[in-house]
Amino acid sequence: MSPAASSSASVPGPSPADRPPLVLVSADVRPADGYVWHAAPDTYLRAMTHIGAIPMVLPSMPGRIDLEAALKRVDGVLLTGSRSNVHPSLYGVESSERHEPFDRERDAVTLPLIRLAIRKGIPLLAICRGFQELNVALGGSLVTEAQERPGSLDHRSPVSEDRDVRFGLAHEVDFEADGLFAGMVRTCRARVNSLHRQAVDRLASGLTVEARAPDGTVEAVRVTDAPAFAAGVQWHPEYWAESDATSEAILRAFAGAMRRRMEAR
């Protein structure tokens, strides 16, 4: 062996503590400018960089990407929110134009991705649409227009061109006293934003409720027997990641789970 090869072989590779975690981020499929785009809003990507992770957008291309191979290369999965809704046929409800827009390509990727990530013990955080995907992927169902339920709050966002208004903190949620989220945020109640039409109807049997809105809407869950961090929120902590203590605490907990995953590999 040459001296150069010997010297190179003796240099240890980077430890997990020396590199940021890689997080796979779900993508929406949108036509624009004569192309079909696979994209994620920058608020999620910025939130991931804020907690020290590198976001990697996963195209919603069912049948073209080996999800198992993709998951071998990352330390976590982030399921984003979106204007589109999970298709009602996936939880046994007849679809109509009122429930649009849909994104069938995203559905076809995220639902199997969720089940695979949980099974493999890869940390997962599901936000808004992602939260709804988590419930459907594990066998639950959704209310297609939550604001039409008797006694329900209107969980849709305010109509405004100002994103700070649309993502403004809208109502309180109460955390389960001894739950995962109460431990993360160190409080039993917090104020959150609200920008959704769909909501949990029948909770999947594999999920445990972690927080509810004043009208009883399920706002946070964890995967009951998951081997790693696997949880979801109906609101948008990514928007206030750098200024709201509750939002940052949830994202930091996700980051911690990804680093533990790195160290265990």
Side-chain angles (χ1 to χ4, degrees):
M1 181 181 292
S2 70
S6 176
S7 171
S8 174
S10 66
V11 176
S15 71
D18 296 330
R19 72 167 178 86
L22 299 178
V23 55
L24 207 58
V25 181
S26 60
D28 296 335
V29 180
R30 300 279 181 89
D33 302 327
Y35 295 94
V36 175
W37 297 78
H38 295 249
D42 72 333
T43 48
Y44 298 93
L45 308 181
R46 288 175 181 273
M48 291 300 98
T49 61
H50 177 65
I51 60 173
I54 297 176
M56 312 283 287
V57 178
L58 174 69
S60 290
M61 303 174 75
R64 288 181 172 266
I65 293 176
D66 184 335
L67 297 181
E68 191 146 355
L71 289 176
K72 287 180 180 177
R73 292 164 168 79
V74 299
D75 308 297
V77 173
L78 176 71
L79 302 169
T80 65
S82 175
R83 282 192 66 249
S84 68
N85 292 320
V86 178
H87 199 276
S89 66
L90 295 169
Y91 51 90
V93 173
E94 186 175 349
S95 65
S96 78
E97 291 184 3
R98 292 184 64 241
H99 306 146
E100 294 179 357
F102 302 128
D103 187 339
R104 299 300 298 268
E105 288 84 2
R106 172 169 168 156
D107 292 340
V109 169
T110 53
L111 270 61
L113 178 69
I114 289 166
R115 293 187 284 263
L116 190 58
I118 292 170
R119 189 166 72 246
K120 290 185 169 295
I122 297 170
L124 179 145
L125 178 61
I127 294 175
C128 197
R129 188 196 207 272
F131 173 82
Q132 296 156 8
E133 290 168 338
L134 175 61
N135 189 49
V136 172
L138 299 185
S141 66
L142 304 175
V143 175
T144 55
E145 301 293 334
Q147 69 279 359
E148 296 178 1
R149 298 173 301 179
S152 176
L153 296 172
D154 189 342
H155 289 267
R156 294 172 296 181
S157 64
V159 178
S160 175
E161 294 298 317
D162 186 334
R163 287 207 305 176
D164 284 356
V165 172
R166 289 173 40 232
F167 284 84
L169 303 183
H171 64 74
E172 292 181 328
V173 296
D174 289 312
F175 296 103
E176 293 296 320
D178 299 320
L180 172 70
F181 278 83
M184 278 192 254
V185 303
R186 300 183 181 279
T187 184
C188 62
R189 180 174 293 173
R191 197 161 185 83
V192 302
N193 48 29
S194 188
L195 297 91
H196 62 102
R197 292 160 50 205
Q198 294 188 314
V200 169
D201 183 12
R202 183 184 69 257
L203 186 72
S205 61
L207 296 177
T208 297
V209 175
E210 287 280 336
R212 292 184 184 272
D215 63 359
T217 298
V218 177
E219 291 279 343
V221 298
R222 63 179 170 86
V223 179
T224 310
D225 296 318
F229 182 101
V233 294
Q234 182 59 83
W235 67 93
H236 289 266
E238 83 288 346
Y239 192 83
W240 301 108
E242 299 183 35
S243 60
D244 175 66
T246 298
S247 299
E248 184 161 24
I250 293 168
L251 295 169
R252 293 286 179 194
F254 179 48
M258 289 193 286
R259 291 199 173 277
R260 290 191 295 275
R261 166 79 178 175
M262 290 167 57
E263 292 165 2
R265 288 213 273 177

